[in-house]
Amino acid sequence: MPHTKVIEQLKENLQTAYRQAIDADAKLDELKKAGLGKFTSIFTAEQGFIVSSNRFLPYVQELVDDLTKLQDQANLDPVALETYVRQLATLLKTLQAFKKQS
């Protein structure tokens, strides 16, 4: 499979996002207990996510599901891959920004 290395790199980045999402969601829980963080969604629909949540892990789960679909393709769809990479980058950037601010 020629796209094996691409998939493996995406998996590594997704694992990083998962670990960061756990920490970020714990911080969001603390903020909610303190009466802060009153928002309904982290990302807008324009950012390409189907799920809408005030926590990061549901977005990670959506990307896990999408990666599974990508892996099942005989040939990687360039448009689907580009969309996936853009969503993963958005998630990682947002997690990093959240970590710096909290």
Side-chain angles (χ1 to χ4, degrees), residues 8 10-21 60 88:
E8 289 304 315
L10 292 173
K11 282 182 182 179
E12 287 177 27
N13 286 316
L14 197 51
Q15 288 174 345
T16 299
Y18 174 74
R19 289 189 294 273
Q20 290 178 358
V60 173
L88 182 56

Side-chain angles (χ1 to χ4, degrees), residues 1-15 64 66-77 81 84-85 88:
M1 295 179 80
H3 59 272
T4 304
K5 290 187 181 197
V6 172
I7 297 295
E8 289 304 315
Q9 184 64 46
L10 292 173
K11 282 182 182 179
E12 287 177 27
N13 286 316
L14 197 51
Q15 288 174 345
V64 168
D66 290 348
L67 185 58
T68 301
K69 291 175 191 171
L70 281 174
Q71 282 181 271
D72 293 342
Q73 295 177 357
N75 295 311
L76 282 177
D77 175 16
L81 181 60
Y84 184 87
V85 169
L88 182 56

Side-chain angles (χ1 to χ4, degrees), residues 48-101:
F49 290 96
I50 295 169
V51 72
S52 177
S53 177
N54 61 355
R55 297 294 180 267
F56 286 99
L57 282 176
Y59 295 102
V60 173
Q61 184 59 52
E62 181 178 330
L63 290 176
V64 168
D65 295 343
D66 290 348
L67 185 58
T68 301
K69 291 175 191 171
L70 281 174
Q71 282 181 271
D72 293 342
Q73 295 177 357
N75 295 311
L76 282 177
D77 175 16
V79 174
L81 181 60
E82 181 182 343
T83 300
Y84 184 87
V85 169
R86 193 174 329 114
Q87 287 176 301
L88 182 56
T90 299
L91 178 64
L92 288 167
K93 287 177 188 175
T94 304
L95 283 164
Q96 191 63 34
F98 181 76
K99 183 178 179 180
K100 284 182 181 179
Q101 290 182 1

